[in-house]
Structures are given as structure tokens and as C-alpha cells.
């Protein structure tokens, strides 16, 4: 590992020790993107990117003072992002992870639903307003609002237009099938780490779909620096190491999963798998 990558990993590890309520998801998202460049020997300074988020937040705070409700705030936010700063939706499904990489999104001013949602959330929170990512399947949605005031649910690619209950029901059925119905969990706010993991998981799944197991594994292991208690990530890391014939690292990752999972069934399956892996080493 080169010095640049080691420095980024050190910062991500420090962020991994924070309580979730103290974690700003924008910083680790930028650092995870920087880590890919650091592995190639270039240490990219994320300070200008954080400064841009602060600048946009100052503008939103100034322009949002006269917003009478959350709907007006949402429109103002996405006008700021789209018209003044030229951010646009650009979801792609190829070997380029640029629509999921927050550094690249901020450079290109183009990004996918998850990355633009995280960007909008970061700006809104920095402006002192309410922003939450919802645990809605398949498509990232934001709940925005004024402190102590109304709330509105928006699609980050929808220009700030509010989504009604029928809109949400239609989106859910398109993603999960005609039998799916809205439940309270679909309105639940994600934790800061879950926001970060959602973006990283989208990148991981694309890499696996393209057959890049080594790059997907690097993504998972980077996420584990800032979310070390995410037990399913340890399991995924172990299984990817197995696919790459990395027996010792696979054992280490699966043992971490075993120590964290509350599922008796998962523990039993993992113990059997570990026994088989350890036989390979002997």
C-alpha cells in the first residue's frame, strides 16, 4: 500500500470510530472515492469539495429564508443545484462508476440518483435544514423540510417536485411487484452509515455484475473501514476472497462476520464454511 492510500485509510478508520449521529456521510463518501485514486499514488485533497458543499449550503440558507414550506424549499434546493451549479442526472450502467463516485460527480456535475441524493442531503443539512434518506427500495428518496416545519418527499432526479402517496405506491410496485404495498419501513430514515453503504453497495453490485470481483472486494473492504460493525459486509468480503482463492483472508473476514451476526442459522452455515476453509490450509 502506498503512502497516499494509507493516509486516506487512516482517516476512514478514524471516522469508523465515530457514533453514527456524529458522522457526516459526505466526508467518507468523498474519501472512499479518493481512495481509488490514492491506490494509484495520487492523494486528492477533498477540502475543496467540502468547501463547495459549504458554499452551496450558504446559498441555500440565504435563499431559503423566505420559503413558506418544505415544497418551496425542495424546489429552491434543486434549482440551486441544477440551474446555478449545473448538476444533472446521469445514471449509467457500464464500467464507469462516475455516476456513483461523489468526487467524479462533483467534477462532472453529473450523477446518479444515489450520489445526487447524498449531495442534496449534505447541502441541506449544512444549511441547517432537515434532510433524510429514506429506506425505500430500489430508488433513493429524500425527505426534506424546515426545522420545526413541514416535510416533503422528493426524488433527487425529479427537480424537487414532491411525491404523493400514489406516486410512492406506483414507484414501489414498479420496483417490488404489483403485490407490494407501502409500509412504515418505507418511510423510515436511514442512518448516516446506511446512507454511505447504499451508495457503496450500488457500486459493488455493478462491479460484480461486470465480473470485477477484485474491485468489488476493494470497495467492500473500504466500506468496512468506516462501518466496521456492518456484519453482512464481512460476509461479503469473505465470500469474495473465496472466489479469488484468498483462503486466509476469507477465513479472517468470515470470523469477523461470525462474531457479529445475531442469526443462529447464519452462524451454523458460517462455522461449516470455516471448517472447510481451514481444512484447505492444512
Amino acid at each position: 500500500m502506498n503512502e497516499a492510500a494509507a493516509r486516506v485509510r487512516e482517516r476512514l478508520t478514524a471516522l469508523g470510530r465515530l457514533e453514527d449521529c456524529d458522522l457526516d456521510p459526505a466526508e467518507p463518501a468523498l474519501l472512499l472515492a479518493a481512495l481509488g485514486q490514492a491506490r494509484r499514488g495520487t492523494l486528492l485533497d477533498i477540502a475543496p469539495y467540502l468547501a463547495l458543499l459549504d458554499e452551496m449550503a450558504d446559498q441555500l440558507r440565504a435563499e431559503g429564508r423566505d420559503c413558506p414550506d418544505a415544497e418551496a424549499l425542495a424546489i429552491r434546493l434543486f434549482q440551486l443545484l441544477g440551474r446555478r451549479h449545473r448538476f444533472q442526472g446521469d445514471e449509467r450502467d457500464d464500467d464507469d462508476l462516475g455516476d456513483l463516485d461523489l468526487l467524479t460527480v462533483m467534477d462532472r456535475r453529473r450523477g446518479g440518483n444515489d450520489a445526487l441524493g447524498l449531495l442534496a442531503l449534505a447541502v441541506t443539512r449544512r444549511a441547517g435544514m432537515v434532510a433524510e434518506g429514506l429506506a425505500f427500495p430500489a430508488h433513493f428518496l429524500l425527505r426534506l423540510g424546515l426545522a420545526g416545519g413541514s416535510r416533503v418527499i422528493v426524488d433527487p432526479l425529479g427537480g424537487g417536485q414532491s411525491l404523493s402517496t400514489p406516486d410512492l405506491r406506483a414507484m414501489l410496485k414498479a420496483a417490488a411487484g404489483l403485490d407490494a404495498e407501502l409500509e412504515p419501513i418505507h418511510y423510515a430514515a436511514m442512518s448516516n452509515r446506511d446512507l454511505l453503504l447504499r451508495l457503496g453497495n450500488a457500486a459493488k453490485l455493478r462491479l460484480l455484475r461486470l465480473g470485477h470481483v477484485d474491485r468489488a472486494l476493494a470497495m467492500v473492504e473500504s466500506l468496512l473501514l468506516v462501518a466496521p460493525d456492518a456484519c453482512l459486509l464481512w460476509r461479503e468480503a469473505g465470500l469474495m476472497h473465496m472466489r479469488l482463492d484468498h483462503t486466509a483472508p476469507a477465513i479472517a473476514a468470515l470470523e469477523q462476520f461470525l462474531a457479529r451476526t445475531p442469526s443462529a442459522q447464519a452462524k451454523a452455515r458460517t462455522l461449516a464454511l470455516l471448517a472447510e476453509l481451514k481444512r484447505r490450509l492444512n
Side-chain angles (χ1 to χ4, degrees):
M1 182 190 306
N2 61 52
E3 182 181 354
R7 289 172 62 185
V8 178
R9 288 175 63 87
E10 181 179 350
R11 177 58 181 162
L12 283 168
T13 300
L15 292 175
R17 300 190 189 102
L18 294 179
E19 294 294 329
D20 188 83
C21 61
D22 297 324
L23 183 68
D24 169 15
E27 183 183 357
L30 289 167
L31 287 168
L32 287 166
L35 186 56
Q37 299 189 28
R39 290 193 184 102
R40 297 188 292 272
T42 302
L43 180 58
L44 186 65
D45 183 9
I46 69 167
Y49 297 85
L50 292 172
L52 176 59
L53 293 177
D54 290 336
E55 176 188 341
M56 291 189 290
D58 289 341
Q59 293 166 352
L60 179 63
R61 190 182 303 111
E63 297 178 12
R65 287 179 183 146
D66 60 347
C67 287
D69 53 32
E71 291 190 7
L73 171 65
I75 294 295
R76 196 70 55 86
L77 167 65
F78 284 95
Q79 285 178 342
L80 174 69
L81 294 177
R83 294 182 183 177
R84 183 178 303 187
H85 292 279
R86 305 185 309 282
F87 283 99
Q88 301 177 40
D90 181 26
E91 293 194 294
R92 55 183 71 209
D93 192 17
D94 54 24
D95 200 22
D96 180 4
L97 296 179
D99 63 318
L100 295 167
D101 176 320
L102 194 56
L103 282 177
T104 305
V105 166
M106 293 181 72
D107 282 338
R108 295 178 180 173
R109 296 296 200 271
R110 304 178 72 87
N113 167 255
D114 294 293
L116 286 183
L118 184 58
L119 177 77
L121 179 143
V123 170
T124 306
R125 286 185 177 177
R126 280 168 163 74
M129 300 162 185
V130 177
E132 299 170 319
L134 301 188
F136 193 85
H139 198 81
F140 184 53
L141 301 178
L142 283 174
R143 181 162 51 220
L144 302 172
L146 302 168
S150 61
R151 302 286 187 271
V152 66
I153 296 174
V154 300
D155 176 353
L157 300 181
Q161 295 294 326
S162 63
L163 296 172
S164 65
T165 298
D167 293 331
L168 296 173
R169 185 176 292 113
M171 291 178 71
L172 178 65
K173 289 180 181 296
L178 295 178
D179 293 334
E181 292 295 342
L182 289 172
E183 299 179 16
I185 191 173
H186 298 135
Y187 295 94
M190 288 189 288
S191 70
N192 290 319
R193 280 187 173 81
D194 282 344
L195 287 167
L196 185 64
L197 294 178
R198 181 161 184 155
L199 184 63
N201 187 59
K204 176 206 69 182
L205 290 175
R206 183 179 301 174
L207 290 169
L208 288 175
R209 198 162 55 243
L210 294 166
H212 301 310
V213 181
D214 53 342
R215 292 175 62 192
L217 174 59
M219 171 64 69
V220 167
E221 291 187 327
S222 298
L223 288 168
L224 279 167
L225 295 174
V226 73
D229 292 324
C231 69
L232 291 179
L233 284 183
W234 286 110
R235 181 177 182 275
E236 290 179 350
L239 295 177
M240 287 185 213
H241 275 301
M242 286 179 60
R243 287 180 62 179
L244 295 169
D245 293 324
H246 302 161
T247 304
I251 290 172
L254 290 172
E255 285 179 338
Q256 290 289 338
F257 169 71
L258 188 64
R260 289 171 169 79
T261 180
S263 169
Q265 283 187 327
K267 286 182 178 180
R269 290 194 299 267
T270 304
L271 283 169
L273 187 55
L274 281 169
E276 173 59 28
L277 288 171
K278 289 175 180 178
R279 280 195 291 270
R280 293 182 191 178
L281 288 180
N282 296 331

